[in-house]
Amino acid sequence: MAQRKHTRLTAALIIIVGFLTVCPVVMLVLGSFSKGLGAVGSFTFEKYLSVYTDPGFAEVIGNTLVFVLGSAALATVLALFLAYLNNRTDIPFKFLFKILSVIPMMIPHVLFSVSWALLLNPSNGILNLAVGQLLNLENLPFNVYTIWGMILVEGLLDLPIAYLIIAPAMASFDVSLEESSRVCGGGTLKTLARITLPVLRPAILASFILCIVRCLASFAVPSVLGMPGRIYVLSTFIYRTVSTGFVADYGKAAAIGMSILVTSVALIYVYRYLTRSSERYVTVSSRGFKPAVIELKKAKIPLFVVMLILSVLLIVLPVLVLLYTSFVPYSMVPSARAFSMMGLTHWRAVLRDPISLLSLKNSLFLGIVGATLGCVLSIFVAYVIVKVRSRASGILESLSFLSFSFPGIVIGVGFMWFFVRTPLYATIWALLLGYIATYLPYGIRPLTSAFIQIHSHLEESSTVCGARLLTTLRRIVVPLLVPGIVSGWVLMATMFLRELSLSVVLSRPGTEVLAVQILRFAEDGLWGRLSALGIIMIFFSTAMVAAVTLLGSRLRPVDSGSASARKALPTAQPRETV
């Protein structure tokens, strides 16, 4: 009986998750061979010929390669530097720097990009104006609207992803290998180059490839910093295709998106291969180990200053510049005159703007309701992946993580081809389904880890007492999953609140979200209103995370897992005869 229930549950989840992940891909493929949204099934190669024979497409490909490779390399190098200092040296306050290295994941990418535009734009950037006045320069020295400015900002944004991959490998490195190198006369730098980095090669390559995938999917930085300088990459080229002209060419956008999708899926396959083959580089065995702590000596203070500067660039500066700009009438260098001119003009304008208020309402709805529905689905999917070990559960696992390789703007085009023929088109529900489909892995991953820690004996005891599957999940499994549920909900809610690339394709009048409204303010040069709305966005995001974390700490069982499970077990009763 239990096996039959598991089979039905697995089949139902495969249908649901398959619809969310495979359907937009199928529609993207069909759309790329169709003449238009109203002519699905009328196959043609016209869109591919139009894209790949476009003289400007080669420049877009070149810009994309430089942007993606440069950003991924910068993020990986910075992550390697931070991971080494945080895990292998005696640098002061390393516990604080470990936290600061991943906090930028909580800052919406569009706001991070806008903050750097406010600092370094070539006309009135705050930092530009300050340096120009200090050095008495006729021309401002910096211009963030270049490919190098895009690489700098995207590299800083992708730093936490690379750090989370490299840091664990760096922390578990066996000291005996480095000690052997030093005994043979190798210094710190020589040991780092010949021993440490080669052994860490899988983690370094994995972080580099994953950063490439995220850069391919990036839209915030290319749109905020690239388009004003007329530097287009594949994501903004798709956006221009569907947002300019009298009629949006979704067929051409689908043809462009296919090249990004194929590249992303291939890179994710390489990433999974590298992580699976990493056991060949294992350095920690049953003999035990203790990570070596390298004394920085005279380099301690300079490196500590470098870490402080990086922390300011990653966290403090972006938030402060938004807060400052929201109060001043126009961009100006902080001074006594600037502080005397501060006011609430931009805040009043935003709070009286019906579209801004609607975008806030829609984003909160998507963040709260979408993350809740996504977590519920993630619980069932993670349960089948971990507890029901069958070929069908393996298919479900592959389907559930397929969307991790989907660039948002590309999958948005696929959903557009599907939704245009349904009542969901141009509604908030289209965004809700798109968000859940795109970010489902962010809910499944922490819940999968949580399920692994729950012994099957607890469920078997509940079944022996006559409880049904849903009763077992509700009364025993879910209370023990509270930490994983909180992590999954927080991840999905923050992703939903800041989502931009999918939203710019699916959002229509009446379904605007915060990220899209912020992008429109940036395009119109309304920096004060943008900053005020951005601070509101950060406030609600932080408040949601804090509230759910507090609620999760109160709901978490105080007793051990087995004790709380015993309390939740129903009273023993005879089982039904099958």
Side-chain angles (χ1 to χ4, degrees):
M1 179 67 73
Q3 183 65 32
R4 193 183 309 164
K5 291 179 180 178
H6 287 157
T7 302
R8 290 200 298 265
L9 176 62
T10 305
L13 290 174
I14 288 176
I15 294 173
I16 295 172
V17 176
F19 166 79
L20 291 174
T21 56
V22 177
C23 182
V25 176
V26 172
M27 295 306 299
L28 186 73
V29 175
L30 292 176
S32 67
F33 289 102
S34 302
K35 292 182 179 180
L37 284 174
V40 177
S42 179
F43 292 98
T44 176
F45 287 96
E46 176 186 341
K47 302 303 178 182
Y48 282 96
L49 292 175
S50 175
V51 170
Y52 295 107
T53 57
D54 186 347
F57 191 65
E59 182 181 357
V60 172
I61 293 293
N63 290 339
T64 303
L65 287 175
V66 174
F67 170 67
V68 166
L69 295 177
S71 302
L74 177 62
T76 303
V77 170
L78 286 177
L80 189 62
F81 174 73
L82 290 177
Y84 187 79
L85 290 180
N86 287 339
N87 293 282
R88 306 306 307 278
T89 70
D90 61 345
I91 194 166
F93 300 104
K94 63 169 65 178
F95 69 94
L96 181 61
F97 289 131
K98 287 181 180 180
I99 298 173
L100 294 177
S101 298
V102 296
I103 282 181
M105 293 183 68
M106 304 297 294
I107 301 176
H109 288 195
V110 64
L111 293 180
F112 194 89
S113 306
V114 165
S115 66
W116 280 96
L118 290 169
L119 287 168
L120 297 179
N121 76 75
S123 57
N124 58 356
I126 296 174
L127 189 58
N128 249 346
L129 291 173
V131 174
Q133 292 177 9
L134 181 65
L135 301 179
N136 197 23
L137 301 175
E138 294 183 3
N139 298 318
L140 298 181
F142 306 114
N143 182 10
V144 77
Y145 298 140
T146 63
I147 191 70
W148 307 113
M150 293 166 58
I151 288 173
L152 170 65
V153 177
E154 185 65 36
L156 293 176
L157 278 173
D158 293 331
L159 167 61
I161 297 175
Y163 180 84
L164 290 174
I165 297 174
I166 295 176
M170 185 75 74
S172 60
F173 194 91
D174 193 349
V175 63
S176 63
L177 298 175
E178 294 178 326
E179 288 178 347
S180 300
S181 173
R182 293 191 182 93
V183 168
C184 295
T188 300
L189 293 179
K190 193 173 183 179
T191 300
L192 178 66
R194 292 193 174 185
I195 303 296
T196 308
L197 294 182
V199 174
L200 293 175
R201 188 182 305 155
I204 295 172
L205 290 176
S207 67
F208 180 70
I209 290 172
L210 195 58
C211 286
I212 289 178
V213 174
R214 303 320 300 164
C215 292
L216 276 174
S218 174
F219 179 75
V221 173
S223 61
V224 174
L225 303 182
M227 289 198 296
R230 297 185 178 181
I231 301 171
Y232 291 93
V233 296
L234 285 172
S235 59
T236 49
F237 192 61
I238 292 176
Y239 175 69
R240 188 175 66 171
T241 302
V242 300
S243 63
T244 59
F246 294 102
V247 180
D249 195 341
Y250 286 98
K252 186 176 180 180
I256 302 168
M258 284 301 300
S259 59
I260 304 177
L261 186 63
V262 171
T263 304
S264 296
V265 171
L267 288 171
I268 286 294
Y269 175 80
V270 175
Y271 166 76
R272 296 187 68 177
Y273 171 79
L274 287 172
T275 53
R276 284 176 179 174
S277 62
S278 59
E279 64 271 7
R280 293 182 300 169
Y281 294 82
V282 168
T283 62
V284 180
S285 63
S286 58
R287 295 174 300 168
F289 81 103
K290 182 179 179 181
V293 176
I294 298 172
E295 296 182 2
L296 295 176
K297 299 178 181 179
K298 294 182 179 180
K300 180 183 290 188
I301 300 302
L303 288 175
F304 177 72
V305 172
V306 171
M307 294 285 280
L308 283 178
I309 293 174
L310 277 175
S311 299
V312 170
L313 294 179
L314 286 170
I315 302 166
V316 180
L317 198 57
V319 177
L320 282 183
V321 71
L322 289 172
L323 187 62
Y324 170 76
T325 306
S326 69
F327 290 110
V328 294
Y330 53 87
S331 294
M332 60 179 71
V333 177
S335 61
R337 178 172 176 269
F339 287 110
S340 67
M341 297 176 66
M342 282 186 170
L344 298 175
T345 304
H346 301 308
W347 289 84
R348 294 193 189 98
V350 166
L351 295 176
R352 292 173 182 172
D353 180 17
I355 297 180
S356 296
L357 294 177
L358 179 62
S359 67
L360 175 61
K361 176 184 175 182
N362 289 337
S363 289
L364 289 176
F365 172 81
L366 290 168
I368 296 172
V369 177
T372 303
L373 293 176
C375 268
V376 171
L377 179 59
S378 298
I379 289 172
F380 287 102
V381 173
Y383 175 82
V384 171
I385 290 174
V386 176
K387 302 296 183 179
V388 185
R389 297 181 181 179
S390 63
R391 183 175 299 178
S393 65
I395 294 173
L396 178 62
E397 182 178 15
S398 299
L399 287 175
S400 62
F401 287 100
L402 183 62
S403 60
F404 188 77
S405 60
F406 293 167
I409 196 166
V410 173
I411 212 64
V413 173
F415 270 120
M416 176 60 67
W417 278 94
F418 174 76
F419 288 139
V420 74
R421 293 178 171 271
T422 69
L424 296 174
Y425 178 72
T427 66
I428 196 71
W429 305 106
L431 287 167
L432 183 69
L433 288 176
Y435 283 10
I436 294 175
T438 304
Y439 294 105
L440 188 60
Y442 290 85
I444 295 175
R445 179 58 71 184
L447 284 166
T448 301
S449 301
F451 264 115
I452 291 173
Q453 298 176 353
I454 300 177
H455 203 285
S456 59
H457 288 174
L458 298 175
E459 301 165 62
E460 293 170 359
S461 300
S462 178
T463 305
V464 168
C465 293
R468 298 177 180 273
L469 175 61
L470 290 179
T471 303
T472 301
L473 287 174
R474 178 175 58 86
R475 299 186 64 179
I476 295 179
V477 176
V478 171
L480 298 175
L481 286 177
V482 168
I485 293 174
V486 170
S487 297
W489 196 95
V490 166
L491 276 173
M492 297 186 81
T494 52
M495 292 294 177
F496 288 6
L497 275 178
R498 76 184 196 185
E499 166 55 41
L500 174 63
S501 56
L502 185 74
S503 305
V504 295
V505 179
L506 296 180
S507 180
R508 291 293 180 270
T511 62
E512 293 90 349
V513 294
L514 284 173
V516 173
Q517 183 67 2
I518 287 172
L519 180 63
R520 289 175 180 172
F521 280 154
E523 292 173 346
D524 295 337
L526 301 174
W527 302 111
R529 296 187 185 185
L530 180 154
S531 300
L533 189 59
I535 295 297
I536 293 173
M537 185 180 188
I538 293 174
F539 170 78
F540 277 102
S541 178
T542 305
M544 285 172 55
V545 171
V548 172
T549 304
L550 180 62
L551 179 62
S553 64
R554 291 186 176 182
L555 293 177
R556 186 176 303 172
V558 178
D559 303 294
S560 64
S562 58
S564 60
R566 285 195 298 271
K567 290 180 180 180
L569 283 174
T571 305
Q573 52 185 300
R575 295 190 59 189
E576 298 175 358
T577 303
V578 180

